[in-house]
Amino acid sequence: MNMKHTILIAALLAAPTVQASGGGESFAATQPKWKAECSSCHIAYPPKLLPAASWKTMMGSLDKHFGTDASLDAAATTEILAFLEKNASRRKPEPSAKPVLRFTETRWFQSEHDEVSARLWKDPRVKSPSNCAACHTKAENGDFNEHNIRLPR
Ligand code: HEC
Ligand code: HEC
């Protein structure tokens, strides 16, 4: 390889990688076991919505999961926890004695949604903020990009 080529390749390797999604954060990490086991009652909430400590606490108490029993065998629990921790939020957790389990109550979630009116959150087609797919049409694919939001009207 001559000198000119070597320099060209080095320049290409050094070029910053461009995000395909156009600004919005990516929540697209996926894993088959997680997708299968965590999407029967609500969409499989992306790992990036909570920090690792929160996932650890949640996966350690699936038998008491928000008033329901979502327990799994030990192997599945370990496999899913590893995926969640690896792709967890790196945002500094909010100061509190216990890890947050409901990301919909975090300041981050509330500020991303400050333009959603109280009336809309209670609309019968939305029911609750945890019902992501009521507005994010591609929530099931971990796509929360603003271009794929349709507010019920
Ligand atoms: C048997 C049904 C069921 C299964 C299975 C289940 N969940 Fe849930 N989950 C719930 C219910 C019910 C809530 C509370 C929903 C609400 O109050 O709006 C919830 C809430 C949550 C929340 C908090 C959402 C918020 O409002 O901030 C997270 C995070 C969550 N689940 C993660 C998981 C993970 C991870 C798994 C797989 C290991 C899982 N869930 C499997 C029933 C389930
Ligand atoms: C009532 C409709 C509605 C519901 C339900 C809803 N969202 Fe949103 N979401 C919005 C709107 C509106 C925005 C703001 C878009 C903007 O700023 O342009 C938004 C923004 C976001 C963003 C930031 C997107 C970006 O690219 O900056 C994320 C992430 C997000 N929502 C996640 C969720 C998750 C996860 C859930 C379910 C737990 C959810 N949302 C439920 C309406 C909703």
Side-chain angles (χ1 to χ4, degrees):
M1 202 186 291
N2 69 30
M3 189 66 176
K4 228 164 149 190
H5 278 120
T6 313
I7 290 169
L8 179 61
I9 289 165
L12 285 172
L13 288 174
T17 46
V18 178
Q19 283 279 328
S21 59
E25 268 184 84
S26 171
F27 293 86
T30 188
Q31 199 267 349
K33 190 67 122 203
W34 163 79
K35 190 83 186 172
E37 302 292 355
C38 302
S39 66
S40 47
C41 304
H42 44 67
I43 66 153
Y45 295 128
K48 216 177 168 188
L49 291 170
L50 286 172
S54 298
W55 289 125
K56 190 159 199 231
T57 303
M58 189 177 295
M59 294 305 286
S61 54
L62 282 179
D63 57 329
K64 295 185 207 72
H65 182 76
F66 303 93
T68 164
D69 184 351
S71 46
L72 297 167
D73 64 48
T77 306
T78 306
E79 186 180 333
I80 293 171
L81 177 59
F83 162 73
L84 292 169
E85 288 183 321
K86 181 162 175 262
N87 296 285
S89 166
R90 308 261 184 263
R91 227 170 265 119
K92 211 163 145 265
E94 288 169 28
S96 68
K98 284 193 264 167
V100 175
L101 301 184
R102 267 191 198 273
F103 61 81
T104 50
E105 286 173 0
T106 61
R107 244 180 301 148
W108 167 79
F109 188 86
Q110 283 159 10
S111 75
E112 291 287 9
H113 292 90
D114 58 2
E115 63 188 76
V116 178
S117 66
R119 187 191 52 76
L120 189 54
W121 284 133
K122 296 202 179 73
D123 185 288
R125 289 160 297 179
V126 176
K127 296 195 248 7
S128 135
S130 3
N131 189 14
C132 324
C135 306
H136 295 275
T137 58
K138 300 195 173 156
E140 280 179 45
N141 304 329
D143 178 345
F144 295 94
N145 194 288
E146 58 185 291
H147 300 301
N148 296 318
I149 297 176
R150 298 284 172 278
L151 297 182
R153 59 173 81 233

